[in-house]
């Protein structure tokens, strides 16, 4: 979507895999995989990625939902090439560092405790499990946070396996909006992601 009113570009890399693609014995895998994409690559650690995003005046986010995962970049047009280099590094070269996994594990375990104390969330989790059944992908915890057991048992290899099985070109699309033509956007994406 071309819009030349402001010198901004929004890029959303969308994958057709989310919580419903979690291994049945490891709910929370998709969410943790997305969460850790920007926590370390083969060339940058989490702080270097954060600093690079800040230096570019950009916003780089990663997330997942039931049926998808995404990496989003919002950036000034003049910084787009450097932003795409950073975004492609995060998407193509994540390392899922063990120390960052441990940090996120603590956050997720705390989130699971909080969710159990929120009546509406607990009811929704129970409703989805009863509606779809415990073996159905939609029968897992509705928030993507997994279970206490699955998060405690999660290893770096689980994230790597999920990444390798779901993060590939013909399972994804890029949506671009802002101060960029389709031709320029396509050329920049091909340069950064090929």
């Amino acid at each position: 979507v071309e819009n030349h009113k402001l010198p901004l570009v929004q890029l959303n890399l969308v994958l057709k895999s989310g919580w419903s693609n979690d291994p049945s014995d490891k709910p929370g895998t998709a969410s943790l995989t997305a969460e850790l994409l920007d926590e370390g690559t083969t060339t940058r650690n989490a702080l270097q990625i954060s600093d690079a995003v800040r230096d570019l005046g950009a916003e780089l986010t990663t997330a997942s939902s039931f049926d998808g995962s995404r990496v989003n970049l919002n950036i000034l047009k003049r910084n787009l090439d450097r932003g795409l280099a950073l975004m492609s590094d995060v998407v193509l070269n994540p390392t899922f560092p063990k120390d960052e996994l441990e940090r996120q594990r603590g956050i997720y375990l705390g989130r699971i405790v909080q969710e159990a104390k929120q009546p509406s969330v607990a009811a929704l989790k129970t409703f989805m499990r009863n509606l779809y059944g415990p073996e159905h992908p939609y029968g897992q915890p509705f928030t993507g946070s997994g279970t206490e057991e699955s998060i405690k048992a999660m290893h770096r290899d689980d994230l790597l396996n999920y990444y390798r099985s779901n993060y590939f070109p013909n399972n994804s699309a890029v949506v671009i909006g802002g101060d960029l033509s389709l031709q320029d956007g396509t050329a920049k994406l091909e340069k950064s992601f090929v």
Side-chain angles (χ1 to χ4, degrees):
V1 176
E2 280 187 61
N3 185 338
H4 301 287
K5 291 180 182 176
L6 293 172
L8 292 172
V9 178
Q10 174 73 40
L11 293 106
N12 299 341
L13 173 70
V14 183
L15 293 119
K16 296 187 291 184
S17 300
W19 310 336
S20 60
N21 292 82
D22 277 346
S24 59
D25 61 335
K26 295 266 174 98
T29 306
S31 188
L32 271 171
T33 300
E35 196 86 49
L36 287 171
L37 282 175
D38 62 351
E39 298 295 336
T41 69
T42 55
T43 60
R44 298 174 174 98
N45 64 32
L47 289 175
Q48 290 169 323
I49 293 169
S50 176
D51 288 346
V53 170
R54 185 194 67 231
D55 291 346
L56 291 169
E59 183 178 7
L60 178 70
T61 59
T62 61
S64 64
S65 60
F66 257 119
D67 293 316
S69 299
R70 60 198 170 281
V71 180
N72 303 325
L73 176 68
N74 184 278
I75 193 162
L76 289 168
K77 183 179 179 178
R78 71 173 184 250
N79 296 331
L80 181 58
D81 290 337
R82 291 185 297 150
L84 275 171
L86 179 62
M87 182 183 192
S88 67
D89 189 31
V90 165
V91 172
L92 300 175
N93 305 308
T95 56
F96 307 106
K98 290 181 181 180
D99 57 333
E100 296 296 340
L101 173 58
E102 290 309 315
R103 186 175 65 80
Q104 287 297 330
R105 187 188 318 273
I107 291 169
Y108 272 59
L109 291 172
R111 186 181 303 164
I112 291 166
V113 170
Q114 281 183 319
E115 289 171 356
K117 293 180 180 182
Q118 296 172 344
S120 60
V121 176
L124 191 53
K125 284 182 173 185
T126 301
F127 174 74
M128 295 297 278
R129 188 160 210 79
N130 288 335
L131 178 65
Y132 290 102
E135 301 304 318
H136 192 279
Y138 285 8
Q140 66 161 300
F142 180 74
T143 59
S145 57
T147 63
E148 187 175 343
E149 297 78 23
S150 69
I151 297 302
K152 285 182 177 178
M154 199 77 63
H155 296 285
R156 180 177 175 270
D157 285 343
D158 297 314
L159 306 183
L160 282 168
N161 290 335
Y162 184 89
Y163 173 83
R164 290 178 185 134
S165 298
N166 295 283
Y167 283 71
F168 51 87
N170 63 350
N171 192 42
S172 63
V174 177
V175 180
I176 304 173
D179 190 15
L180 196 65
S181 70
L182 177 61
Q183 183 179 0
D184 288 344
T186 302
K188 289 182 181 296
L189 287 171
E190 287 175 351
K191 180 181 175 188
S192 298
F193 282 91
V194 175

